[in-house]
Amino acid sequence: MSFSTILSAAIDGLGVELVRVEADVSNGLPIFHMVGYLSSEVKEAGERVRTAIRNSGYDYPAKRTVINLSPATLRKRGASFDLPIAVAIMASLGQVSPGAAKGCLITGELGLDGKVRKVPGVLPVVMEGKKNGITRFLVPRENRAEGALVKDVEVIGVGSLQEAVAVLSEGGLPENRQEPEAYGAWEEEFPDFADIRGQENVKRAAEIAVAGGHNLLMIGPPGSGKSMTAKCIAGILPPPDMEESLEITKIYSVLGMLDEQSPLIKKRPFREVHHTATRAALIGGGIVPRPGEISLAHGGILFLDELPEFRKSVIEVLRQPLEEKSVQISRTYGNYRFPADFILVAAMNPCPCGCYPDMKKCTCTPAQIHMYLSRISRPFLDRIDLCVEAPRVEYRHLADETKGERSASIRKRVCRAREIQKERYKGTKIVTNSRLQGNEIKYYCTLGKKERALMEQAYTVMGLTARGYHRIIRTARTIADLEGEERIRERHLKEAVGYRVMDEKYWQR
């Protein structure tokens, strides 16, 4: 037999496309030719594969070899095609049984010594293969635990080309077959809210933000505990379920950022981005689009410290992802959509020196303060549900040895509120209160006569936009859930309106 076909897969953004690796080995001039819309790293596979086959102890006669990666309209990138190309060639030469690889998807990079090296994106490859009815996968040994996260499939890890041939020819190496990782609670030590002195209003805002999935902006002088509070928020996030964990793990898998021993991500991510970050680093991009920080924060927290120090174009690019919970990147050869359902937590000083509005200490001119605050636009602020002031910590709070409420207690309330939302929105695509839109707000957030009068007054006096009005209603819905109330009361709305006063104080001077 001179012709053979092996099934593999290509990563395209976060998506996966199945690829047929076809090999034809025949008499003729001893050339090695590869076709199929290949990138330079895939074209280089020819030299790696031929050398790896010989160094693994197999005969590779001087014959005409043609490799085709189908479909030809899909751009193939990376080194994950090395192993399937080698197996396809050996099947054409009769060194592997023609039907041995039938129904098996193969992926992996080869070294010149025949060792199989790990590749990124094995988890989404196995998930996509399972959707297409494939139940057997041959992957690098380092990726074995990652692929085994998918249930009801057989994932076999191999460390060399010889082991791959042994598995396909004899069904050997049963000890390399990996059982799916057991899903259990994940624990890690975070800074505790009990260690923060004072700042009760900031802690309350953080609790509401996490309970309803709302965005949070903290404004205050240096040293008031804004960054510490943001890090404490990671300790009150509700644990993800198995489906959410797999979705988060899939993103990190494509970027090759998983732990080989324990690949399943059991915690919600907390991503802190430096203010020198570029737009591409934040939302993703590049010639070959890759997920950015907002996708790495999917399901968790994106923390932007010193918000006005970010370039304005970088801040503004967040507006669409904050609304749509995803980001779409367009290229001439295709569109890529990356998930970006995160809670934005941002912190900033009120002015360049950090002391405004205390004019006795502030050394900034009105023009400098205006220039500093104007880096944050009104449309961006409209996407922030809670804006809270973190004042300078008083000495009596620092000297007080009494511990505040622990993060564990706050987390229990957050989890109860999330359970209420889960039950309320069962059968819909809504996950948290922050996702409510239009008619959904009218249906799930009904207001009484007193509540409507209060909101009419707030809308008129504060000059709210429709988006800002709806965000107050959604925040009030979360406050009511934290109290276990079925209906939104006047006190809930008053507290929610209070979280919009701070941005009026600084941006409506």
Side-chain angles (χ1 to χ4, degrees):
M1 181 177 182
S2 64
F3 175 80
S4 66
T5 301
I6 297 296
L7 193 62
S8 190
I11 301 291
D12 190 30
L14 289 182
V16 175
E17 295 286 342
L18 296 185
V19 173
R20 292 165 59 90
V21 180
E22 301 171 339
D24 181 85
V25 181
S26 58
N27 294 324
L29 290 175
I31 62 169
F32 191 103
H33 189 53
M34 294 179 63
V35 295
Y37 197 18
L38 313 176
S39 65
S40 58
E41 61 264 30
V42 180
K43 292 177 182 177
E44 292 167 356
E47 294 300 325
R48 289 195 298 271
V49 168
R50 284 185 294 182
T51 306
I53 291 175
R54 293 194 185 100
N55 289 339
S56 297
Y58 299 104
D59 184 35
Y60 188 17
K63 290 192 173 186
R64 185 176 186 270
T65 304
V66 178
I67 305 294
N68 177 43
L69 273 60
S70 174
T73 54
L74 175 69
R75 181 73 165 172
K76 323 303 187 303
R77 300 180 179 88
S80 61
F81 298 105
D82 291 5
L83 184 58
I85 290 172
V87 172
I89 291 172
M90 295 178 70
S92 297
L93 292 170
Q95 297 171 348
V96 174
S97 175
K102 186 176 181 181
C104 180
L105 189 148
I106 302 175
T107 185
E109 178 183 350
L110 280 176
L112 296 182
D113 57 354
K115 299 294 184 184
V116 178
R117 296 171 180 166
K118 69 175 183 178
V119 293
V122 165
L123 177 59
V125 165
V126 176
M127 293 171 74
E128 183 65 25
K130 182 182 176 182
K131 288 181 184 177
N132 287 271
I134 301 166
T135 58
R136 196 171 187 228
F137 299 84
L138 202 63
V139 303
R141 184 173 292 160
E142 291 95 330
N143 296 117
R144 183 182 59 197
E146 177 186 341
L149 294 175
V150 183
K151 296 181 179 179
D152 302 321
V153 295
E154 183 184 27
V155 180
I156 305 172
V158 293
S160 67
L161 180 59
Q162 291 177 328
E163 290 183 10
V165 172
V167 169
L168 294 173
S169 301
E170 307 160 13
L173 299 171
E175 70 279 3
N176 279 342
R177 292 170 189 176
Q178 179 85 4
E179 293 300 319
E181 180 180 345
Y183 186 80
W186 176 87
E187 296 294 337
E188 181 175 310
E189 289 297 322
F190 292 107
D192 200 296
F193 272 114
D195 297 327
I196 298 179
R197 299 290 186 261
Q199 307 295 23
E200 297 304 320
N201 61 326
V202 179
K203 296 178 189 178
R204 172 66 173 170
E207 178 182 345
I208 296 169
V210 176
H214 304 287
N215 301 318
L216 171 66
L217 173 62
M218 296 175 286
I219 306 175
S224 57
K226 303 185 296 295
S227 300
M228 177 75 166
T229 300
K231 290 178 172 64
C232 288
I233 289 176
I236 65 171
L237 289 170
D241 56 28
M242 185 61 176
E243 184 180 348
E244 290 174 311
S245 286
L246 284 174
E247 188 176 4
I248 296 168
T249 304
K250 180 179 175 181
I251 299 170
Y252 283 74
S253 172
V254 169
L255 296 175
M257 297 172 64
L258 293 181
D259 183 349
E260 291 177 16
Q261 303 302 319
S262 183
L264 182 63
I265 296 177
K266 300 178 183 178
K267 64 173 182 175
R268 294 185 182 275
F270 179 88
R271 304 292 298 184
E272 184 174 358
V273 182
H274 194 263
H275 62 261
T276 56
T278 63
R279 292 173 59 184
L282 201 61
I283 68 166
I287 298 175
V288 181
R290 289 163 57 88
E293 286 291 341
I294 63 173
S295 295
L296 290 173
H298 178 68
I301 300 288
L302 179 70
F303 178 43
L304 305 182
D305 203 359
E306 305 294 347
L307 184 64
E309 299 299 333
F310 285 80
R311 285 193 290 272
K312 190 167 185 176
S313 61
V314 174
I315 297 175
E316 294 302 305
V317 84
L318 286 173
R319 283 159 52 178
Q320 183 264 338
L322 287 173
E323 284 291 313
E324 304 296 331
K325 303 300 181 182
S326 64
V327 59
Q328 182 165 318
I329 299 174
S330 298
R331 294 290 182 267
T332 54
Y333 45 81
N335 295 324
Y336 299 82
R337 183 175 292 275
F338 300 139
D341 188 0
F342 59 90
I343 299 173
L344 175 66
V345 177
M348 61 177 286
N349 296 331
C351 67
C353 77
C355 296
Y356 179 81
D358 186 350
M359 301 312 294
K360 293 180 180 179
K361 296 181 179 179
C362 183
T363 60
C364 305
T365 65
Q368 288 175 323
I369 296 172
H370 175 75
M371 183 70 69
Y372 186 78
L373 294 175
S374 65
R375 298 176 189 175
I376 315 300
S377 69
R378 189 73 203 188
F380 181 82
L381 285 172
D382 268 350
R383 289 162 170 82
I384 304 294
D385 298 356
L386 297 94
C387 184
V388 63
E389 190 169 26
R392 180 174 175 269
V393 181
E394 297 179 11
Y395 174 76
R396 60 186 178 89
H397 292 304
L398 291 175
D400 188 359
E401 296 297 327
T402 306
K403 287 274 188 178
E405 187 177 19
R406 297 188 63 83
S407 293
S409 301
I410 300 174
R411 191 184 194 192
K412 288 179 181 178
R413 290 199 297 272
V414 167
C415 291
R416 281 199 299 269
R418 286 286 184 107
E419 284 299 319
I420 291 172
Q421 294 167 64
K422 185 178 180 181
E423 185 65 29
R424 179 189 298 131
Y425 305 130
K426 186 182 291 184
T428 70
K429 294 183 179 180
I430 304 170
V431 180
T432 58
N433 293 327
S434 64
R435 299 289 292 271
L436 292 171
Q437 300 289 339
N439 291 330
E440 297 165 348
I441 294 177
K442 294 180 181 179
Y443 182 77
Y444 293 109
C445 305
T446 55
L447 301 180
K449 187 176 180 180
K450 287 183 178 179
E451 288 76 21
R452 286 198 299 271
L454 175 64
M455 287 309 300
E456 181 181 0
Q457 183 182 8
Y459 187 82
T460 303
V461 173
M462 298 175 67
L464 296 172
T465 63
R467 182 184 285 117
Y469 171 82
H470 288 147
R471 290 194 177 278
I472 290 175
I473 301 294
R474 290 195 287 258
T475 303
R477 176 70 271 172
T478 299
I479 296 170
D481 289 342
L482 284 168
E483 293 185 5
E485 289 275 1
E486 181 63 30
R487 293 180 61 84
I488 298 175
R489 305 296 181 185
E490 197 174 8
R491 65 179 183 275
H492 304 144
L493 288 170
K494 286 180 179 179
E495 184 176 358
V497 169
Y499 293 119
R500 303 295 306 187
V501 173
M502 286 303 105
D503 64 313
E504 298 296 321
K505 174 181 176 180
Y506 289 104
W507 279 272
Q508 294 294 330
R509 293 184 301 117

